[in-house]
Amino acid sequence: MRISVVGTGYVGLVTGACLAEIGHEVVCTDSDTEKIKTLESGGIPIYEPGLENVIPKARKLNRLSFRVNAVEAVSAGDAIFICVGTPPLPNGDADLSAIDHVARLIATESTSPKLVVEKSTVPARTGQELKRALSVYARRSSVTFHVASNPEFLREGTAVEDFLHPDRIVVGVESESAERQLKEIYQPVLDRKFNCPVHLKSCPDGPAPQWLVTTINSAELIKHASNSFLALKISYANMVADLAEKLGADIDEVVRAMGLDPRIGRSFLSAGLGFGGFCLPKDLQAFVHLAERSGVDFGMLREAEKINKQRIDRCIEKLRGALWVLRGKQIAVLGLAFKPNTDDIRFAPAIDLVNRLLSEGAHVRAYDPQAMERSRATLSQIEYAHSANDAARDADALLIATEWDEFRALDWPRIRDVMARPLVIDGRNLLSPAEMRKLGFEYRAFGRPD
Ligand code: UGA
């Protein structure tokens, strides 16, 4: 099928590239012309494992192109995936102005029938507004539009794999033709009939994804309810971790046993600095606002948000407990990205932590395997190290803020020797407390007995 993708952020770029990978002809556009020019010239503006294989391959096969001209891009597809940003407004609601703008563009420029697929994360009932906007903006046109919601469940860092091997594909539709077209689009994924890109080591042969057809309102709700539930799980683990610490229990032992119950599951119960990124925090806020406006009490999710915000305070308390005064102290921070395998620092706990350290008068030298270039643009008051070792040099304390695998495998005895004081605050419970203490570190983590 011919598909247009509007918006080439994390979601749009992965969606466009993977739709081309499974055989469709895809044209992507973005209001950020610099980004499109980078893509046109063979660059990839974000670090997302797998894109470096999928994008060049699809371009070579002439299945993926990038256009600055949005009208051309939108006209090219029979289906248009809207992947534009829905950032939070000051009151926490999602800003839907980019979706409205794309609706106007599609309505006024289309000359053939279009399936308009809402992929951006939006509050329930946005699809109804989108339908209304399309018919208002296209009142002088005879083109037919079908609207569908197709929420994404892509995790940054594994987004290509998640797209090609999802556990479910949710389509919210109101017409048989929309359902049929979406089925046609996803058929290769449902049948697992495409050549697995080389980088996907696992390329699971597991069960085919579930195909779930719902109403548009339900599809939108599924997305917000899923992300908010993940946030709730993380905050629950952090709340229990705080108690475990007071009682001398070990959160790792607790969640391991809890997770063996299939009704609970082990994932998203890792305690530490909490959740960040451009999805969980903003989706949680938008969901709470949506509920409040609908007269439903979502206090439970407000608590989850509150617990998450307190993680930075907890970390600073631990640091102050060990260092007494933070002013003038040299702190090494390992990790700036909001999670490993990405260069995304949006709403990253690490960035909040660094800002808190700076406001306390500490000196920060940070290292991240991928996110330093992005950080430099927003955080100019800190030093950037070229390795973890370099960050640790003469430091009074070292904070682990992102759970990059490479931090597990560092030469810790060497790090100990270059630090002014061998104090590690492990904000992601990444390392073994026993081993770190054996190596002579003062080691503190979250929910683990000191
Ligand atoms: C999240 C969802 O997991 C995806 O399913 C969804 O598609 C995506 O948002 C989206 O809406 O686009 P993502 O933002 O990439 O994906 O990140 P997660 O893997 O969910 O991690 C979010 C944060 O939670 C990270 O800061 C991570 O470090 C933290 N986390 C995760 C914990 O603190 N503890 C855990 O146990 C798990």
Side-chain angles (χ1 to χ4, degrees):
M1 269 182 77
R2 288 178 307 170
I3 298 174
S4 312
V5 174
V6 185
T8 54
Y10 284 89
V11 173
L13 191 55
V14 171
T15 301
C18 290
L19 286 170
E21 168 72 33
I22 61 172
H24 301 296
E25 230 174 85
V26 182
V27 180
C28 299
T29 188
D30 198 293
S31 56
D32 182 344
T33 49
E34 282 312 309
K35 201 188 272 180
I36 293 296
K37 281 183 190 153
T38 303
L39 287 159
E40 268 178 330
S41 62
I44 302 178
I46 52 168
Y47 173 72
E48 182 61 44
L51 284 183
E52 73 285 6
N53 293 318
V54 176
I55 292 180
K57 180 179 157 197
R59 296 196 73 204
K60 216 172 187 173
L61 295 168
N62 282 328
R63 293 209 295 240
L64 180 65
S65 59
F66 301 98
R67 304 268 166 83
V68 169
N69 187 324
V71 175
E72 263 176 46
V74 160
S75 309
D78 301 315
I80 303 168
F81 280 70
I82 304 182
C83 303
V84 294
T86 52
L89 288 166
N91 71 355
D93 273 342
D95 180 353
L96 302 174
S97 54
I99 301 215
D100 179 50
H101 176 79
V102 178
R104 187 189 288 270
L105 178 80
I106 296 171
T108 49
E109 301 297 339
S110 298
T111 51
S112 59
K114 303 284 183 195
L115 170 65
V116 181
V117 185
E118 180 192 89
K119 194 89 179 151
S120 308
T121 300
V122 290
R125 300 205 62 77
T126 302
Q128 304 307 328
E129 293 297 340
L130 178 60
K131 247 174 28 190
R132 203 160 58 138
L134 284 167
S135 76
V136 170
Y137 296 142
R139 66 186 185 283
R140 292 199 187 87
S141 140
S142 56
V143 171
T144 337
F145 297 103
H146 289 276
V147 170
S149 164
N150 172 218
E152 53 85 17
F153 303 104
L154 311 174
R155 292 162 299 172
E156 286 184 28
T158 53
V160 173
E161 189 148 5
D162 289 344
F163 187 98
L164 296 171
H165 297 289
D167 34 37
R168 79 275 207 211
I169 297 173
V170 175
V171 293
V173 291
E174 285 182 351
S175 70
E176 267 180 35
S177 91
E179 182 185 339
R180 209 176 36 247
Q181 270 179 291
L182 280 162
K183 190 90 183 264
E184 199 183 321
I185 291 170
Y186 282 109
Q187 201 64 53
V189 174
L190 291 166
D191 296 344
R192 298 177 167 280
K193 269 195 194 140
F194 54 90
N195 288 328
C196 213
V198 277
H199 76 281
L200 294 179
K201 290 187 289 306
S202 53
C203 227
D205 297 320
Q210 291 273 338
W211 176 252
L212 292 171
V213 182
T214 69
T215 62
I216 294 178
N217 290 342
S218 298
E220 292 165 337
L221 198 60
I222 286 167
K223 169 69 193 203
H224 264 151
S226 300
N227 271 7
S228 298
F229 187 73
L230 294 173
L232 198 62
K233 254 190 122 176
I234 298 169
S235 281
Y236 183 78
N238 279 323
M239 182 180 76
V240 177
D242 286 348
L243 183 63
E245 220 169 280
K246 300 266 186 240
L247 303 178
D250 185 337
I251 190 67
D252 296 340
E253 292 174 352
V254 175
V255 294
R256 179 155 182 259
M258 281 172 66
L260 289 172
D261 182 336
R263 293 170 303 174
I264 298 174
R266 170 64 186 84
S267 61
F268 279 72
L269 286 178
S270 296
L273 283 176
F275 57 84
F278 205 59
C279 302
L280 261 47
K282 87 171 164 66
D283 290 356
L284 186 69
Q285 263 189 27
F287 204 32
V288 168
H289 275 248
L290 176 70
E292 272 172 4
R293 259 186 289 124
S294 312
V296 178
D297 183 0
F298 262 33
M300 188 190 199
L301 289 186
R302 279 222 180 277
E303 277 302 307
E305 201 181 5
K306 192 174 115 199
I307 291 167
N308 198 53
K309 287 201 172 116
Q310 288 167 346
R311 306 322 293 161
I312 305 297
D313 302 333
R314 294 269 175 285
C315 189
I316 296 288
E317 277 165 28
K318 282 177 197 294
L319 196 59
R320 197 175 278 123
L323 291 181
W324 181 39
V325 170
L326 299 189
R327 181 162 298 279
K329 298 282 159 67
Q330 181 68 38
I331 314 290
V333 173
L334 296 194
L336 293 164
F338 84 97
K339 64 186 255 189
N341 300 320
T342 178
D343 59 355
D344 197 348
I345 55 162
R346 291 174 298 173
F347 299 98
I351 303 292
D352 286 347
L353 188 60
V354 168
N355 281 323
R356 268 298 286 282
L357 290 170
L358 292 176
S359 72
E360 301 271 347
H363 304 296
V364 176
R365 194 180 304 128
Y367 169 73
D368 186 285
Q370 291 293 338
M372 293 204 288
E373 208 179 304
R374 279 181 196 273
S375 305
R376 274 196 181 96
T378 48
L379 259 184
S380 55
Q381 318 86 307
I382 64 168
E383 272 184 81
Y384 289 92
H386 46 77
S387 66
N389 233 56
D390 181 29
R393 202 172 14 93
D394 300 325
D396 297 298
L398 180 149
L399 291 176
I400 299 178
T402 312
E403 61 275 35
W404 283 95
D405 266 344
E406 78 167 63
F407 297 158
R408 266 184 250 270
L410 291 173
D411 184 348
W412 285 103
R414 206 168 139 215
I415 292 192
R416 177 199 57 210
D417 294 345
V418 299
M419 289 181 74
R421 173 176 169 179
L423 168 66
V424 168
I425 311 275
D426 186 348
R428 295 294 176 181
N429 288 1
L430 192 71
L431 307 170
S432 150
E435 275 172 33
M436 290 303 279
R437 287 184 189 128
K438 207 160 91 197
L439 289 174
F441 282 97
E442 287 173 68
Y443 174 84
R444 297 179 191 197
F446 284 77
R448 291 165 153 189
D450 277 343

